[in-house]
Coordinates of all heavy atoms in Angstrom, one line a residue:
M16 N -14.1 -9.6 5.0 CA -13.3 -10.2 6.0 C -12.1 -9.3 6.4 O -11.6 -8.6 5.5 CB -12.7 -11.5 5.4 CG -11.9 -12.3 6.3 SD -11.3 -13.9 5.5 CE -9.7 -13.3 5.0
S17 N -11.8 -9.2 7.7 CA -10.7 -8.4 8.0 C -9.5 -9.3 8.5 O -9.7 -10.3 9.2 CB -11.1 -7.3 9.0 OG -11.3 -7.9 10.2
F18 N -8.3 -8.8 8.2 CA -7.1 -9.5 8.7 C -6.4 -8.6 9.6 O -6.1 -7.4 9.3 CB -6.2 -9.8 7.4 CG -4.8 -10.3 7.7 CD1 -4.7 -11.6 8.3 CD2 -3.8 -9.5 7.6 CE1 -3.4 -12.0 8.6 CE2 -2.5 -9.9 7.9 CZ -2.3 -11.2 8.4
R19 N -6.1 -9.0 10.8 CA -5.4 -8.2 11.8 C -3.9 -8.3 11.5 O -3.2 -9.3 11.5 CB -5.6 -8.7 13.2 CG -4.9 -7.8 14.2 CD -5.3 -8.1 15.7 NE -6.6 -7.4 16.0 CZ -6.9 -7.0 17.2 NH1 -6.2 -7.4 18.2 NH2 -8.0 -6.4 17.4
V20 N -3.3 -7.1 11.1 CA -2.0 -7.0 10.6 C -1.0 -7.0 11.8 O 0.1 -7.6 11.8 CB -1.8 -5.7 9.7 CG1 -0.3 -5.6 9.3 CG2 -2.7 -5.8 8.6
G21 N -1.3 -6.1 12.8 CA -0.4 -6.0 14.0 C -0.6 -4.6 14.6 O -1.5 -3.9 14.1
P22 N 0.1 -4.3 15.6 CA 0.0 -3.0 16.3 C 0.3 -1.8 15.3 O 1.1 -2.0 14.4 CB 0.9 -3.1 17.4 CG 1.9 -4.1 17.1 CD 1.2 -5.1 16.2
V23 N -0.3 -0.7 15.6 CA -0.1 0.4 14.7 C 1.4 0.9 14.5 O 1.8 1.3 13.5 CB -0.9 1.7 15.0 CG1 -2.4 1.5 14.8 CG2 -0.7 2.1 16.5
D24 N 2.2 0.7 15.6 CA 3.6 1.1 15.6 C 4.4 0.1 14.7 O 5.6 0.3 14.6 CB 4.1 1.3 16.9 CG 4.0 0.2 17.9 OD1 3.7 -0.9 17.4 OD2 4.4 0.3 19.1
L25 N 3.8 -0.9 14.2 CA 4.5 -1.8 13.3 C 5.0 -1.1 12.0 O 6.1 -1.5 11.5 CB 3.6 -2.9 12.9 CG 4.1 -4.1 12.1 CD1 5.1 -4.9 13.0 CD2 2.9 -5.1 11.7
I26 N 4.3 -0.1 11.6 CA 4.8 0.7 10.4 C 5.0 2.1 10.8 O 4.0 2.9 10.9 CB 3.7 0.6 9.3 CG1 3.2 -0.8 9.1 CG2 4.2 1.1 8.0 CD1 2.0 -1.0 8.1
P27 N 6.2 2.6 10.9 CA 6.5 4.0 11.3 C 6.0 4.9 10.1 O 5.9 4.4 8.9 CB 8.0 4.0 11.4 CG 8.4 2.6 11.6 CD 7.4 1.7 10.9
E28 N 5.7 6.1 10.4 CA 5.4 7.1 9.4 C 6.4 7.2 8.3 O 7.6 7.2 8.5 CB 5.1 8.4 10.0 CG 4.3 9.4 9.1 CD 3.9 10.6 9.8 OE1 3.2 10.6 10.8 OE2 4.4 11.7 9.4
G29 N 5.9 7.1 7.0 CA 6.8 7.2 5.9 C 7.3 5.8 5.4 O 8.2 5.8 4.5
E30 N 6.8 4.8 6.1 CA 7.3 3.4 5.7 C 6.1 2.6 5.3 O 4.9 3.0 5.4 CB 8.1 2.8 6.8 CG 9.3 3.6 7.1 CD 10.3 2.9 8.1 OE1 10.1 1.7 8.3 OE2 11.2 3.5 8.5
S31 N 6.4 1.4 4.8 CA 5.4 0.5 4.3 C 5.6 -0.9 4.7 O 6.7 -1.3 5.2 CB 5.3 0.6 2.8 OG 6.5 0.3 2.2
L32 N 4.6 -1.8 4.5 CA 4.7 -3.2 4.9 C 4.0 -4.0 3.9 O 2.9 -3.7 3.4 CB 4.0 -3.4 6.3 CG 4.0 -4.8 6.8 CD1 5.4 -5.1 7.4 CD2 2.9 -5.0 7.9
L33 N 4.6 -5.1 3.5 CA 4.1 -6.0 2.6 C 3.2 -7.1 3.3 O 3.8 -7.7 4.3 CB 5.2 -6.7 1.7 CG 4.7 -7.9 0.9 CD1 3.8 -7.5 -0.2 CD2 6.0 -8.6 0.3
V34 N 2.0 -7.2 2.9 CA 1.2 -8.3 3.5 C 0.9 -9.3 2.4 O 0.3 -9.0 1.4 CB -0.2 -7.8 4.0 CG1 -1.0 -8.9 4.6 CG2 0.1 -6.7 5.1
E35 N 1.5 -10.5 2.6 CA 1.4 -11.5 1.6 C 0.0 -12.1 1.5 O -0.7 -12.4 2.6 CB 2.4 -12.6 1.7 CG 3.8 -12.0 1.6 CD 4.9 -13.1 1.5 OE1 4.6 -14.3 1.2 OE2 6.0 -12.8 1.8
A36 N -0.5 -12.5 0.3 CA -1.8 -13.1 0.1 C -2.0 -14.3 1.0 O -3.0 -14.6 1.5 CB -2.1 -13.3 -1.3
K37 N -0.9 -15.1 1.1 CA -1.0 -16.4 1.8 C -1.3 -16.2 3.3 O -1.8 -17.0 3.9 CB 0.2 -17.3 1.6 CG 1.5 -16.7 2.2 CD 2.6 -17.7 2.0 CE 4.0 -17.1 2.4 NZ 4.1 -16.6 3.7
D38 N -0.9 -15.0 3.8 CA -1.1 -14.8 5.2 C -2.5 -14.1 5.4 O -3.2 -14.4 6.4 CB -0.1 -13.8 5.7 CG 1.3 -14.4 5.7 OD1 1.4 -15.6 5.9 OD2 2.2 -13.7 5.5
S39 N -3.0 -13.2 4.5 CA -4.2 -12.4 4.7 C -5.4 -13.1 4.2 O -6.5 -12.7 4.6 CB -4.0 -11.0 4.1 OG -4.0 -11.2 2.7
G40 N -5.2 -14.0 3.3 CA -6.4 -14.6 2.6 C -6.9 -13.8 1.5 O -7.9 -14.2 0.8
A41 N -6.2 -12.7 1.1 CA -6.6 -11.9 0.0 C -6.2 -12.6 -1.3 O -5.4 -13.6 -1.2 CB -5.9 -10.5 0.1
S42 N -6.7 -12.1 -2.4 CA -6.3 -12.7 -3.7 C -5.0 -12.2 -4.3 O -4.6 -12.6 -5.3 CB -7.5 -12.4 -4.7 OG -7.7 -11.1 -4.9
E43 N -4.4 -11.3 -3.6 CA -3.1 -10.7 -4.1 C -2.4 -10.1 -2.9 O -2.9 -9.9 -1.8 CB -3.3 -9.7 -5.1 CG -4.0 -8.4 -4.6 CD -4.3 -7.4 -5.7 OE1 -3.7 -7.5 -6.7 OE2 -5.2 -6.5 -5.4
D44 N -1.0 -10.0 -3.1 CA -0.2 -9.3 -2.0 C -0.7 -7.9 -1.9 O -1.0 -7.2 -2.9 CB 1.3 -9.4 -2.4 CG 1.8 -10.8 -2.3 OD1 1.1 -11.7 -1.8 OD2 2.9 -11.0 -2.8
I45 N -0.6 -7.3 -0.7 CA -1.1 -6.0 -0.5 C 0.0 -5.1 0.2 O 0.7 -5.7 1.2 CB -2.4 -5.9 0.3 CG1 -3.5 -6.6 -0.5 CG2 -2.8 -4.5 0.7 CD1 -4.8 -6.9 0.4
A46 N 0.2 -3.9 -0.2 CA 1.2 -3.0 0.5 C 0.4 -2.1 1.4 O -0.6 -1.4 0.9 CB 2.0 -2.3 -0.5
I47 N 0.8 -2.0 2.6 CA 0.2 -1.0 3.6 C 1.2 0.1 3.8 O 2.3 -0.1 4.0 CB -0.2 -1.6 4.9 CG1 -1.2 -2.7 4.7 CG2 -0.8 -0.5 5.8 CD1 -1.6 -3.4 6.0
F48 N 0.7 1.3 3.6 CA 1.6 2.5 3.8 C 1.1 3.4 4.9 O -0.1 3.6 5.1 CB 1.5 3.4 2.5 CG 1.8 2.6 1.3 CD1 0.8 2.0 0.5 CD2 3.1 2.5 0.8 CE1 1.1 1.2 -0.6 CE2 3.5 1.8 -0.4 CZ 2.5 1.2 -1.1
H49 N 2.1 3.9 5.7 CA 1.8 4.9 6.7 C 2.3 6.2 6.1 O 3.4 6.6 6.1 CB 2.6 4.6 8.0 CG 2.2 5.4 9.2 ND1 2.7 5.1 10.4 CD2 1.4 6.4 9.3 CE1 2.1 6.0 11.3 NE2 1.4 6.8 10.6
A50 N 1.3 6.9 5.6 CA 1.6 8.1 4.8 C 2.0 9.3 5.8 O 1.8 9.3 6.9 CB 0.3 8.5 4.0
E51 N 2.5 10.3 5.1 CA 3.0 11.5 5.8 C 1.8 12.3 6.4 O 2.1 13.2 7.2 CB 3.8 12.3 5.0 CG 5.1 11.6 4.6 CD 6.1 12.3 3.7 OE1 5.7 13.4 3.1 OE2 7.2 11.8 3.5
D52 N 0.6 12.0 6.1 CA -0.6 12.6 6.7 C -1.0 11.9 8.0 O -2.0 12.3 8.6 CB -1.8 12.8 5.8 CG -2.4 11.4 5.4 OD1 -1.9 10.4 5.9 OD2 -3.4 11.4 4.7
G53 N -0.3 10.9 8.3 CA -0.5 10.1 9.6 C -1.4 9.0 9.4 O -1.6 8.2 10.3
N54 N -2.1 8.9 8.2 CA -3.0 7.8 8.0 C -2.4 6.6 7.3 O -1.3 6.7 6.7 CB -4.2 8.3 7.2 CG -5.0 9.4 7.9 OD1 -5.3 9.2 9.1 ND2 -5.3 10.5 7.2
F55 N -3.2 5.5 7.4 CA -2.7 4.2 6.7 C -3.6 4.0 5.5 O -4.8 4.2 5.5 CB -2.9 3.1 7.7 CG -2.0 3.2 8.9 CD1 -2.4 3.8 10.1 CD2 -0.7 2.6 8.9 CE1 -1.5 3.9 11.1 CE2 0.2 2.7 9.9 CZ -0.2 3.3 11.1
Y56 N -2.9 3.6 4.4 CA -3.6 3.3 3.2 C -3.0 1.9 2.7 O -1.9 1.5 3.0 CB -3.3 4.4 2.1 CG -3.8 5.7 2.6 CD1 -2.8 6.7 3.1 CD2 -5.1 6.1 2.5 CE1 -3.3 7.9 3.5 CE2 -5.5 7.3 3.0 CZ -4.6 8.2 3.5 OH -5.0 9.5 3.9
A57 N -3.8 1.3 1.8 CA -3.3 0.0 1.2 C -3.6 0.0 -0.2 O -4.7 0.4 -0.7 CB -3.9 -1.2 2.0
L58 N -2.7 -0.6 -1.0 CA -2.8 -0.7 -2.4 C -2.4 -2.2 -2.8 O -1.6 -2.8 -2.0 CB -1.9 0.2 -3.2 CG -2.1 1.7 -3.1 CD1 -1.0 2.4 -4.0 CD2 -3.5 2.1 -3.5
Q59 N -2.8 -2.6 -4.0 CA -2.2 -3.9 -4.5 C -0.7 -3.7 -4.5 O -0.2 -2.6 -4.8 CB -2.7 -4.2 -5.9 CG -2.2 -3.2 -6.9 CD -2.8 -3.4 -8.3 OE1 -3.9 -3.1 -8.6 NE2 -2.0 -4.1 -9.1
D60 N 0.1 -4.7 -4.1 CA 1.5 -4.5 -4.0 C 2.2 -4.4 -5.3 O 3.2 -3.7 -5.5 CB 2.2 -5.6 -3.1 CG 3.6 -5.4 -2.9 OD1 3.9 -4.3 -2.4 OD2 4.5 -6.3 -3.3
E61 N 1.7 -5.2 -6.3 CA 2.4 -5.3 -7.6 C 2.0 -4.0 -8.4 O 0.8 -3.7 -8.6 CB 2.0 -6.5 -8.3 CG 2.9 -6.7 -9.6 CD 2.7 -8.1 -10.2 OE1 3.0 -9.1 -9.6 OE2 2.2 -8.2 -11.4
C62 N 3.0 -3.4 -8.9 CA 2.8 -2.2 -9.8 C 1.9 -2.7 -11.0 O 2.1 -3.8 -11.5 CB 4.1 -1.7 -10.3 SG 4.0 -0.2 -11.3
T63 N 1.1 -1.7 -11.5 CA 0.3 -2.1 -12.6 C 1.1 -2.0 -14.0 O 0.5 -2.3 -15.0 CB -0.9 -1.1 -12.7 OG1 -0.4 0.2 -12.9 CG2 -1.8 -1.2 -11.4
H64 N 2.3 -1.5 -13.9 CA 3.1 -1.5 -15.1 C 3.8 -2.8 -15.4 O 3.5 -3.4 -16.4 CB 4.1 -0.3 -15.1 CG 5.0 -0.2 -16.2 ND1 6.3 -0.1 -16.1 CD2 4.7 -0.1 -17.5 CE1 6.9 0.0 -17.3 NE2 5.9 0.0 -18.2
E65 N 4.8 -3.1 -14.6 CA 5.4 -4.4 -14.7 C 5.6 -5.0 -13.3 O 4.8 -4.7 -12.5 CB 6.8 -4.2 -15.4 CG 6.7 -3.9 -16.9 CD 8.0 -3.7 -17.6 OE1 9.1 -3.9 -16.9 OE2 8.0 -3.4 -18.8
V66 N 6.5 -6.0 -13.2 CA 6.6 -6.7 -11.9 C 7.5 -5.9 -10.9 O 8.8 -6.1 -11.1 CB 7.1 -8.1 -12.1 CG1 7.2 -8.9 -10.8 CG2 6.1 -8.9 -13.1
A67 N 7.0 -5.2 -10.1 CA 7.7 -4.5 -9.0 C 6.8 -4.3 -7.8 O 5.6 -4.3 -8.0 CB 8.1 -3.1 -9.5
S68 N 7.4 -4.3 -6.7 CA 6.7 -4.3 -5.4 C 6.5 -2.9 -4.9 O 7.6 -2.2 -4.6 CB 7.4 -5.1 -4.4 OG 6.7 -5.1 -3.2
L69 N 5.3 -2.4 -4.9 CA 5.1 -1.0 -4.4 C 5.5 -0.8 -3.0 O 5.8 0.3 -2.5 CB 3.7 -0.5 -4.7 CG 3.3 -0.4 -6.1 CD1 1.8 0.0 -6.2 CD2 4.2 0.6 -6.9
S70 N 5.6 -1.9 -2.2 CA 6.0 -1.7 -0.8 C 7.5 -1.4 -0.7 O 7.9 -1.0 0.3 CB 5.7 -3.0 0.0 OG 6.4 -4.1 -0.5
D71 N 8.2 -1.6 -1.8 CA 9.6 -1.2 -1.9 C 9.8 0.2 -2.5 O 10.9 0.7 -2.7 CB 10.4 -2.1 -2.8 CG 10.6 -3.5 -2.2 OD1 10.6 -3.6 -0.9 OD2 10.7 -4.5 -2.9
G72 N 8.6 0.9 -2.7 CA 8.7 2.2 -3.3 C 9.0 3.3 -2.3 O 9.1 3.0 -1.1
W73 N 8.9 4.6 -2.8 CA 9.2 5.7 -2.0 C 7.9 6.5 -1.7 O 7.2 6.8 -2.6 CB 10.2 6.6 -2.6 CG 11.6 6.0 -2.7 CD1 12.5 5.9 -1.7 CD2 12.0 5.2 -3.8 NE1 13.6 5.2 -2.2 CE2 13.3 4.8 -3.5 CE3 11.6 4.9 -5.1 CZ2 14.2 4.0 -4.3 CZ3 12.4 4.1 -5.9 CH2 13.6 3.7 -5.5
I74 N 7.7 6.8 -0.4 CA 6.4 7.5 0.0 C 6.7 9.0 0.0 O 7.8 9.4 0.7 CB 5.9 7.0 1.3 CG1 5.6 5.5 1.2 CG2 4.7 7.8 1.8 CD1 5.3 4.9 2.6
E75 N 5.9 9.8 -0.6 CA 6.0 11.2 -0.4 C 4.6 11.7 -0.3 O 3.8 11.5 -1.2 CB 6.7 11.8 -1.6 CG 7.1 13.3 -1.4 CD 7.9 13.9 -2.5 OE1 8.5 13.2 -3.3 OE2 7.9 15.1 -2.6
D76 N 4.4 12.5 0.8 CA 3.0 13.0 1.1 C 2.1 11.8 1.1 O 2.2 10.8 1.8 CB 2.6 14.1 0.1 CG 3.5 15.3 0.2 OD1 3.9 15.6 1.3 OD2 3.7 15.9 -0.9
C77 N 1.1 11.8 0.2 CA 0.1 10.6 0.1 C 0.3 9.9 -1.3 O -0.7 9.5 -1.9 CB -1.3 11.1 0.2 SG -1.7 11.4 2.0
T78 N 1.5 9.8 -1.7 CA 1.8 9.1 -2.9 C 2.9 8.0 -2.7 O 3.7 8.2 -1.8 CB 2.2 10.0 -4.1 OG1 3.5 10.5 -3.8 CG2 1.2 11.1 -4.3
V79 N 3.0 7.0 -3.6 CA 4.1 6.1 -3.6 C 4.7 6.1 -5.0 O 3.9 6.0 -6.0 CB 3.8 4.7 -3.1 CG1 2.7 4.0 -4.0 CG2 5.0 3.8 -3.0
E80 N 6.0 6.1 -5.1 CA 6.7 6.0 -6.3 C 7.2 4.6 -6.5 O 7.9 4.1 -5.7 CB 7.9 7.0 -6.3 CG 8.6 7.0 -7.7 CD 9.7 8.1 -7.6 OE1 9.6 9.2 -7.1 OE2 10.9 7.7 -8.1
C81 N 6.9 4.0 -7.7 CA 7.4 2.6 -8.0 C 8.9 2.6 -8.0 O 9.5 3.5 -8.6 CB 6.8 2.2 -9.3 SG 7.4 0.6 -9.8
P82 N 9.5 1.6 -7.4 CA 11.0 1.6 -7.4 C 11.6 1.2 -8.7 O 12.8 1.4 -8.9 CB 11.3 0.4 -6.4 CG 10.1 -0.4 -6.4 CD 8.9 0.5 -6.6
L83 N 10.8 0.7 -9.7 CA 11.4 0.2 -10.9 C 11.4 1.3 -12.0 O 12.5 1.6 -12.6 CB 10.6 -1.0 -11.5 CG 11.3 -1.8 -12.5 CD1 12.7 -2.2 -12.1 CD2 10.5 -3.1 -12.8
H84 N 10.3 2.0 -12.3 CA 10.3 3.0 -13.4 C 9.7 4.3 -13.0 O 9.3 5.2 -13.8 CB 9.6 2.5 -14.6 CG 10.0 1.2 -15.2 ND1 9.2 0.0 -15.2 CD2 11.2 0.8 -15.7 CE1 10.0 -1.0 -15.7 NE2 11.1 -0.5 -16.0
S85 N 9.5 4.4 -11.6 CA 9.1 5.7 -11.1 C 7.7 6.2 -11.3 O 7.4 7.4 -11.2 CB 10.1 6.8 -11.5 OG 11.4 6.4 -11.1
S86 N 6.8 5.4 -11.8 CA 5.4 5.8 -11.8 C 5.0 6.1 -10.4 O 5.4 5.4 -9.5 CB 4.4 4.8 -12.4 OG 4.5 4.8 -13.8
S87 N 4.1 7.0 -10.2 CA 3.6 7.2 -8.8 C 2.1 7.0 -8.8 O 1.4 7.2 -9.7 CB 4.1 8.5 -8.2 OG 3.5 9.6 -8.9
F88 N 1.6 6.6 -7.6 CA 0.2 6.3 -7.4 C -0.3 7.1 -6.1 O 0.4 7.2 -5.1 CB 0.1 4.8 -7.1 CG 0.4 3.9 -8.3 CD1 1.7 3.5 -8.5 CD2 -0.5 3.5 -9.2 CE1 2.2 2.8 -9.6 CE2 -0.1 2.8 -10.3 CZ 1.2 2.4 -10.5
D89 N -1.5 7.6 -6.2 CA -2.1 8.2 -5.1 C -2.5 7.1 -4.1 O -3.3 6.2 -4.4 CB -3.4 9.0 -5.6 CG -4.1 9.8 -4.6 OD1 -4.3 9.3 -3.4 OD2 -4.4 10.9 -4.8
L90 N -2.1 7.3 -2.9 CA -2.3 6.2 -1.8 C -3.8 6.2 -1.5 O -4.3 5.2 -1.1 CB -1.5 6.5 -0.6 CG 0.0 6.3 -0.8 CD1 0.7 6.6 0.5 CD2 0.3 4.9 -1.2
K91 N -4.5 7.4 -1.6 CA -5.9 7.4 -1.2 C -6.9 6.7 -2.2 O -7.8 6.1 -1.9 CB -6.4 8.8 -0.9 CG -5.7 9.5 0.2 CD -6.2 10.9 0.3 CE -5.5 11.6 1.5 NZ -5.9 13.1 1.6
T92 N -6.5 6.9 -3.5 CA -7.4 6.5 -4.6 C -6.9 5.4 -5.5 O -7.6 4.8 -6.2 CB -7.8 7.7 -5.5 OG1 -6.6 8.1 -6.1 CG2 -8.4 8.8 -4.7
G93 N -5.6 5.2 -5.4 CA -4.9 4.2 -6.3 C -4.6 4.8 -7.6 O -4.1 4.1 -8.5
K94 N -5.1 6.0 -7.9 CA -4.9 6.6 -9.2 C -3.5 6.7 -9.6 O -2.6 7.2 -8.8 CB -5.6 8.0 -9.2 CG -5.8 8.6 -10.6 CD -6.8 9.8 -10.5 CE -6.9 10.5 -11.8 NZ -6.9 9.6 -13.0
V95 N -3.2 6.4 -10.8 CA -1.7 6.5 -11.4 C -1.6 8.0 -11.7 O -2.4 8.6 -12.3 CB -1.5 5.6 -12.5 CG1 -2.4 5.8 -13.7 CG2 0.0 5.6 -12.9
L96 N -0.4 8.5 -11.3 CA -0.2 10.0 -11.4 C 0.8 10.3 -12.5 O 0.8 11.4 -13.0 CB 0.3 10.5 -10.1 CG -0.7 10.4 -8.9 CD1 -0.1 10.8 -7.6 CD2 -2.0 11.1 -9.2
C97 N 1.6 9.3 -12.9 CA 2.5 9.6 -14.0 C 2.9 8.3 -14.7 O 2.9 7.3 -14.1 CB 3.7 10.4 -13.6 SG 4.7 9.6 -12.4
M98 N 3.4 8.4 -16.0 CA 3.8 7.3 -16.8 C 5.1 6.7 -16.2 O 5.7 7.4 -15.4 CB 4.1 7.8 -18.2 CG 2.9 8.5 -18.8 SD 1.9 7.3 -19.8 CE 2.8 7.2 -21.3
P99 N 5.5 5.5 -16.6 CA 4.9 4.7 -17.7 C 3.6 3.9 -17.3 O 3.0 3.4 -18.2 CB 6.0 3.8 -18.1 CG 6.8 3.6 -16.8 CD 6.7 4.9 -16.0
A100 N 3.3 3.8 -16.1 CA 2.1 3.0 -15.7 C 0.8 3.8 -16.2 O 0.9 5.1 -16.1 CB 2.0 2.8 -14.2
T101 N -0.2 3.1 -16.7 CA -1.4 3.9 -17.1 C -2.6 3.3 -16.5 O -3.7 3.9 -16.7 CB -1.6 3.7 -18.7 OG1 -1.5 2.3 -19.0 CG2 -0.4 4.4 -19.4
V102 N -2.5 2.3 -15.7 CA -3.6 1.6 -15.0 C -3.6 1.9 -13.5 O -2.5 1.8 -12.9 CB -3.6 0.1 -15.3 CG1 -4.8 -0.6 -14.5 CG2 -3.7 -0.1 -16.8
D103 N -4.7 2.3 -13.0 CA -4.8 2.6 -11.5 C -4.6 1.3 -10.7 O -4.8 0.2 -11.2 CB -6.2 3.2 -11.2 CG -6.3 4.5 -11.8 OD1 -5.4 5.2 -12.3 OD2 -7.5 5.0 -11.9
A104 N -4.1 1.5 -9.5 CA -3.9 0.4 -8.6 C -5.2 0.2 -7.7 O -5.9 1.1 -7.4 CB -2.8 0.6 -7.6
R105 N -5.4 -1.1 -7.4 CA -6.6 -1.4 -6.5 C -6.3 -0.9 -5.1 O -5.1 -1.1 -4.7 CB -6.9 -2.9 -6.5 CG -7.7 -3.4 -7.7 CD -8.0 -4.9 -7.6 NE -6.7 -5.7 -7.8 CZ -6.1 -5.9 -8.9 NH1 -6.7 -5.4 -10.0 NH2 -5.1 -6.6 -9.0
T106 N -7.3 -0.4 -4.5 CA -7.1 0.1 -3.1 C -7.8 -0.9 -2.1 O -8.7 -1.6 -2.5 CB -7.7 1.5 -2.9 OG1 -9.1 1.4 -3.1 CG2 -7.1 2.5 -3.7
Y107 N -7.3 -0.9 -0.9 CA -7.9 -1.7 0.2 C -8.1 -0.8 1.4 O -7.4 0.2 1.5 CB -7.1 -2.9 0.5 CG -7.0 -3.9 -0.6 CD1 -6.0 -3.8 -1.6 CD2 -7.8 -5.0 -0.6 CE1 -6.0 -4.8 -2.6 CE2 -7.8 -6.0 -1.6 CZ -6.8 -5.8 -2.6 OH -6.8 -6.7 -3.6
K108 N -9.0 -1.1 2.2 CA -9.3 -0.3 3.4 C -8.5 -0.8 4.6 O -8.4 -2.0 4.9 CB -10.8 -0.3 3.7 CG -11.3 0.7 4.7 CD -12.8 0.9 4.5 CE -13.4 1.9 5.5 NZ -12.6 2.7 6.4
V109 N -7.9 0.1 5.3 CA -7.1 -0.2 6.5 C -7.9 0.5 7.7 O -8.1 1.7 7.7 CB -5.7 0.3 6.5 CG1 -4.9 -0.1 7.8 CG2 -5.0 -0.2 5.2
N110 N -8.2 -0.2 8.7 CA -8.8 0.3 9.9 C -7.9 0.2 11.1 O -7.1 -0.8 11.1 CB -10.1 -0.4 10.2 CG -11.1 -0.4 9.1 OD1 -11.4 0.7 8.6 ND2 -11.7 -1.5 8.7
V111 N -8.0 1.2 12.0 CA -7.3 1.1 13.3 C -8.3 0.7 14.3 O -9.3 1.5 14.6 CB -6.6 2.4 13.6 CG1 -5.9 2.3 14.9 CG2 -5.5 2.7 12.5
V112 N -8.1 -0.5 14.9 CA -9.1 -0.9 15.9 C -8.4 -1.3 17.2 O -7.5 -2.2 17.2 CB -9.9 -2.2 15.4 CG1 -10.9 -2.7 16.4 CG2 -10.5 -1.9 14.1
D113 N -8.6 -0.5 18.2 CA -8.0 -0.8 19.5 C -6.4 -0.8 19.4 O -5.8 -1.7 20.0 CB -8.5 -2.1 20.2 CG -9.9 -2.0 20.4 OD1 -10.5 -1.0 20.7 OD2 -10.6 -3.1 20.4
G114 N -5.9 0.1 18.6 CA -4.4 0.1 18.4 C -3.8 -0.9 17.5 O -2.6 -1.0 17.4
F115 N -4.7 -1.6 16.8 CA -4.2 -2.6 15.8 C -4.7 -2.2 14.4 O -5.7 -1.7 14.2 CB -4.7 -4.0 16.1 CG -4.0 -4.6 17.3 CD1 -4.4 -4.4 18.6 CD2 -2.9 -5.5 17.1 CE1 -3.8 -4.9 19.7 CE2 -2.3 -6.1 18.3 CZ -2.7 -5.7 19.5
L116 N -3.8 -2.6 13.4 CA -4.2 -2.4 12.0 C -5.0 -3.6 11.5 O -4.5 -4.7 11.7 CB -2.9 -2.2 11.2 CG -2.0 -1.0 11.5 CD1 -0.7 -1.1 10.8 CD2 -2.7 0.3 11.1
E117 N -6.1 -3.2 10.9 CA -6.9 -4.4 10.3 C -7.1 -4.0 8.8 O -7.5 -2.9 8.5 CB -8.2 -4.5 11.0 CG -8.0 -5.1 12.5 CD -9.2 -5.5 13.1 OE1 -10.3 -5.3 12.6 OE2 -9.1 -6.1 14.2
L118 N -6.8 -5.0 8.0 CA -7.0 -4.8 6.6 C -8.2 -5.5 6.1 O -8.4 -6.7 6.5 CB -5.7 -5.5 6.0 CG -5.5 -5.4 4.4 CD1 -5.4 -4.0 4.0 CD2 -4.2 -6.2 4.1
E119 N -9.0 -4.8 5.4 CA -10.2 -5.5 4.8 C -9.9 -6.1 3.5 O -9.4 -5.5 2.6 CB -11.3 -4.4 4.6 CG -11.9 -4.0 5.9 CD -13.1 -3.0 5.7 OE1 -13.7 -3.0 4.6 OE2 -13.4 -2.3 6.7
V120 N -10.0 -7.5 3.5 CA -9.6 -8.2 2.3 C -10.8 -8.9 1.7 O -11.8 -9.1 2.3 CB -8.5 -9.2 2.6 CG1 -7.2 -8.5 3.0 CG2 -8.9 -10.2 3.7
Ligands
FES30 S1 7.1 -1.5 -12.9 FE1 6.3 0.2 -11.8 S2 6.6 1.8 -13.2 FE2 7.3 0.2 -14.2

């Protein structure tokens, strides 16, 4: 199932957007990132370490750094890149269709 998030300019490069599960129909909240490579990526919003929102994190290149304890995750693969988190994040696919972002949930 795909959820239409909004126009591509909704998320400027280097920023992110939280899509709540109650809106998208997904089983969890999802963070969409507009990475510095110009592409859009999506991960589970909740950090795999403790309770923190990755959509509040810092984007650098194609990674996001958790705002709470600074673990970072690869936006393309969800792979955790540094401690204290040790579990990878789930990834979701984001498509650009006719100028709109669509999230596969
Ligand atoms: S909650 Fe994200 S690194 Fe601790």
Side-chain angles (χ1 to χ4, degrees):
M16 184 179 96
S17 72
F18 171 72
R19 183 170 275 206
V20 178
V23 287
D24 58 7
L25 189 63
I26 312 173
E28 195 170 298
E30 295 192 14
S31 56
L32 179 78
L33 170 64
V34 177
E35 294 190 25
K37 68 177 171 51
D38 296 326
S39 70
S42 58
E43 62 184 345
D44 293 347
I45 297 171
I47 301 179
F48 304 91
H49 190 173
E51 293 176 353
D52 68 356
N54 293 315
F55 293 90
Y56 302 100
L58 299 180
Q59 67 181 80
D60 184 57
E61 189 171 299
C62 183
T63 62
H64 178 231
E65 286 180 5
V66 180
S68 178
L69 294 178
S70 63
D71 290 333
W73 293 276
I74 298 169
E75 189 175 344
D76 297 326
C77 282
T78 67
V79 62
E80 182 181 314
C81 175
L83 196 52
H84 306 115
S85 304
S86 279
S87 66
F88 296 86
D89 186 311
L90 294 178
K91 294 180 180 176
T92 63
K94 193 167 175 39
V95 63
L96 301 173
C97 64
M98 301 271 277
T101 57
V102 176
D103 296 343
R105 279 180 292 283
T106 59
Y107 292 86
K108 194 160 177 6
V109 185
N110 299 312
V111 177
V112 180
D113 297 332
F115 285 83
L116 296 170
E117 292 192 352
L118 183 61
E119 288 186 18
V120 293

